[in-house]
Amino acid sequence: MKKGFMRFAMLLCALALAACGKGGGEAADGAITVGFSQVGAESEWRTANTRSVKEALAAPEFNLKFSDAQQKQENQIKALRSFIAQGVDVIAFSPVVETGWETVLREAKAAGIPVVLTDRAVDVADDSLYVTLIGSDFVEEGRRAARWLLEDSEGQAGPIRIVELQGTVGSAPANDRMKGFKEVIDADPRFQIVRSQSGDFTRAKGKEVMEAFLKAEGRDGIDVLFAHNDDMAIGAIQAIEEAGLKPGEDIRIVSIDGVRGAFEAMKAGKLNATVECNPLLGPQLAQLIRDVHAGREVPKRVQVEEGVFTRDQAEAELPNRKY
Ligand code: GZL
């Protein structure tokens, strides 16, 4: 009898401790409980973004409940519903795709829980369903990739045949980077996008789709690769080399994110340019959560500053990279 009681008491203690589980040290009394749903761990960018968010929300003033959705919307919706059921103070998440959020966001609103979007946007008719979005301007990132290509193609005759590795289908970065890139290159008839397909932001899929592009277009059928992120570009570089071609020379490559792997590829001459997309949003996100929780006014859209880096800058810039 006594043993059974002891076991039950230990179970209760373990459950109590687990309920305080957070992404860091111990939460202070009166801490802001934050439910954070992350897209997944699909790329170097995402890993750096998760590290930045967890570090910023490890402060004792926060009690972080972190969930990884493995790039599935249904997992994010489940996580948001769990946060609502737990009565968290604030929900923050990076929506894996733009659509399909109205119902669960209305449930959060009905529960009086403010929602902060980070990194990616949602496509909802009623923008009162979220308080603010902090993230990059993906349309501008697409424009910057195309402007680099125009500059780098100065004096070259057409046709300049481009293959495009798109990000996750339906995601804001994929939709907007494609839009911005096309907006700029469509003004110059030399450029033609001959193939465009999703590599889901991963190295493995990027390599697989690039192999298919090379097979379909032939060794001499592709002049440029535009990849929506560096991980897919790095996967494609492997495919290009395995086809006996020189990435960065036979096929010029421009991608987006500016992760360390991209700088290493540029230093090796295999990638021509990367458009920076800053994942280090943690400190700004923490401040937004403090302000939202305190009922202070916050801007509906918070941008992050970022640049463009080319092959010749890679060696000097590498030591400065923070992700
Ligand atoms: C962009 C982010 C994208 C990155 C990818 O802010 O949502 O998702 O470009 C990541 O590397 O997978």
Side-chain angles (χ1 to χ4, degrees), residues 42-43 45-46 119-120 138 173 177 201 228-229 257 277:
E42 72 283 0
S43 63
W45 188 98
R46 188 66 54 196
D119 169 28
R120 297 185 182 178
F138 302 133
R177 286 169 182 170
F201 283 133
H228 288 188
N229 84 329
D257 276 353
C277 175

Side-chain angles (χ1 to χ4, degrees), residues 54-313:
K54 281 187 171 177
E55 279 171 4
L57 300 183
E61 66 189 292
F62 298 107
N63 173 22
L64 174 62
K65 294 178 182 301
F66 183 90
S67 149
D68 174 332
Q70 291 161 343
Q71 286 192 281
K72 291 185 174 58
Q73 182 175 28
E74 63 266 24
N75 290 345
Q76 287 200 291
I77 292 173
K78 265 190 220 132
L80 267 56
R81 288 203 162 113
S82 164
F83 297 148
I84 294 167
Q86 296 175 61
V88 299
D89 295 309
V90 179
I91 287 174
F93 78 115
S94 172
V96 61
V97 291
E98 287 193 281
T99 56
W101 301 101
E102 282 81 357
T103 305
V104 70
L105 291 180
R106 273 201 287 275
E107 290 165 17
K109 186 173 180 180
I113 301 175
V115 173
V116 173
L117 297 178
T118 157
D119 169 28
R120 297 185 182 178
V122 294
D123 179 6
V124 291
D126 172 8
D127 72 1
S128 75
L129 292 176
Y130 64 91
V131 178
T132 182
L133 160 65
I134 173 171
S136 304
D137 179 344
F138 302 133
V139 176
E140 179 55 22
E141 290 171 351
R143 293 192 195 104
R144 285 178 181 177
R147 286 188 204 122
W148 171 84
L149 180 57
L150 258 66
E151 242 174 76
D152 196 65
S153 303
E154 189 77 34
Q156 270 188 38
I160 299 174
R161 297 152 302 175
I162 303 166
V163 292
E164 179 183 27
L165 283 170
Q166 297 173 19
T168 302
V169 175
S171 68
N175 293 339
D176 290 355
R177 286 169 182 170
M178 193 182 329
K179 187 172 149 202
F181 185 80
K182 274 184 68 58
E183 181 189 294
V184 173
I185 59 150
D186 281 356
D188 183 330
R190 292 177 297 164
F191 294 98
Q192 293 162 8
I193 296 181
V194 295
R195 296 264 164 186
S196 182
Q197 190 179 328
S198 176
D200 211 16
F201 283 133
T202 68
R203 291 190 183 196
K205 200 84 176 105
K207 181 177 186 226
E208 186 189 309
V209 174
M210 190 66 205
E211 284 164 351
F213 286 163
L214 286 160
K215 201 152 169 257
E217 295 299 324
R219 283 169 50 85
D220 304 324
I222 300 170
D223 304 301
V224 175
L225 163 64
F226 167 47
H228 288 188
N229 84 329
D230 296 332
D231 286 70
M232 293 190 292
I234 291 164
I237 284 169
Q238 288 167 14
I240 293 166
E241 288 180 317
E242 284 169 11
L245 295 169
K246 281 205 194 85
E249 301 299 333
D250 300 328
I251 296 178
R252 289 178 288 155
I253 306 175
V254 55
S255 64
I256 298 176
D257 276 353
V259 296
R260 177 170 296 282
F263 280 81
E264 282 154 3
M266 286 196 289
K267 191 177 159 193
K270 299 179 180 178
L271 175 70
N272 299 83
T274 182
V275 175
E276 194 178 27
C277 175
N278 186 350
L280 308 181
L281 308 176
Q284 284 176 283
L285 175 64
Q287 188 50 49
L288 279 171
I289 290 170
R290 285 187 199 96
D291 291 342
V292 167
H293 183 61
R296 289 189 285 268
E297 196 71 19
V298 296
K300 196 72 184 171
R301 183 74 173 85
V302 178
Q303 296 273 18
V304 284
E305 288 311 310
E306 40 215 26
V308 181
F309 293 92
T310 55
R311 236 177 0 184
D312 54 314
Q313 298 166 305

